[in-house]
Amino acid sequence: MKPARVVQLSLALSAAASLALTGVYWAGGQPQVEGGLLFLSLGGLALGLIVWAKVFMPRGPFVEARTPSGSSSSDREAVAADSEAPDDVLPRRAFFGRLFAGALTALGLAAVFPIRSLGSKPGRSLFETSWSTGARLVTRDGVAVRASDLEVGGVVTVFPEGHVDVADSQTLLVRVEEGEMEIPAGREDWSPGGNVAYSKICTHAGCPVGLFDQDLNQLICPCHQSAFQVLRAAEPISGPATRALPQLPLDVDAEGYLIARSDYEEPVGPGFWNRP
Ligand code: FES
């Protein structure tokens, strides 16, 4: 096959494959078909450019004549004869350029569509949980927890009432000796009767903080052994976590059940928002 034809077919194939890839993706996608079409798209583009460059681009070495020199009449006739040859010369540079631009545009179109796969915008969901003012603390079984239910040293995982399946709201309720706590300013009334609640989602990489060392009053994340001191607002004291577990403000309702004063005042989980 003539080189010019190879370039034409390769670029046309690339453009067609890119458009087909767009169509397949739009219709719901099929990984194997998409992979094959992407191969044809990129392969056609590469083959067309390689042949174009090797056959049709001028090749050196180039030597500039010292003085202008005109072509001989026989040279001019030879060039004129070549330009009339149908297939084995570059048909038109502009035509190749348009074909190349078309193939690139089609590929660009196919590359834009996967943005759809990113899903909907997260909105405020990363900054809010299902906790709200007055929500009772309930166990995974939906049993509401009273302020007197836990012994000192006890711990239980709790959720906001009606939302026991919401992962970002899981919270550790721990009972400690009230007098032993070092309470930060502004949180004096957040832990009635020594009941203190922290997000269960590790601030390092989001594992559930599942262990409690009663002797040391430390919550420990089993993933990378970050430890958080319960008596000092769950500040990290070892391991890779650098941010304290967010504390849930607690209160007690008229019937003696523990309730949330509000949602967490800061986002739970790994701290993407305070990283440079
Ligand atoms: S996820 Fe908890 S220490 Fe890494």
Side-chain angles (χ1 to χ4, degrees), residues 202 204-207 221 223-226 240:
C202 184
H204 173 229
C207 284
C221 177
C223 284
H224 313 101
Q225 279 70 52
S226 284

Side-chain angles (χ1 to χ4, degrees), residues 52-100:
W52 187 352
K54 282 192 77 73
V55 177
F56 297 113
M57 298 300 276
R59 268 179 275 183
F62 302 101
V63 178
E64 186 179 1
R66 276 180 175 276
T67 54
S69 57
S71 303
S72 67
S73 59
S74 61
D75 285 345
R76 285 199 294 273
E77 284 166 15
V79 169
D82 274 354
S83 67
E84 287 163 13
D87 253 344
D88 57 348
V89 295
L90 183 65
R92 271 199 176 87
R93 184 175 300 177
F95 176 68
F96 270 13
R98 281 197 292 273
L99 208 50
F100 178 55

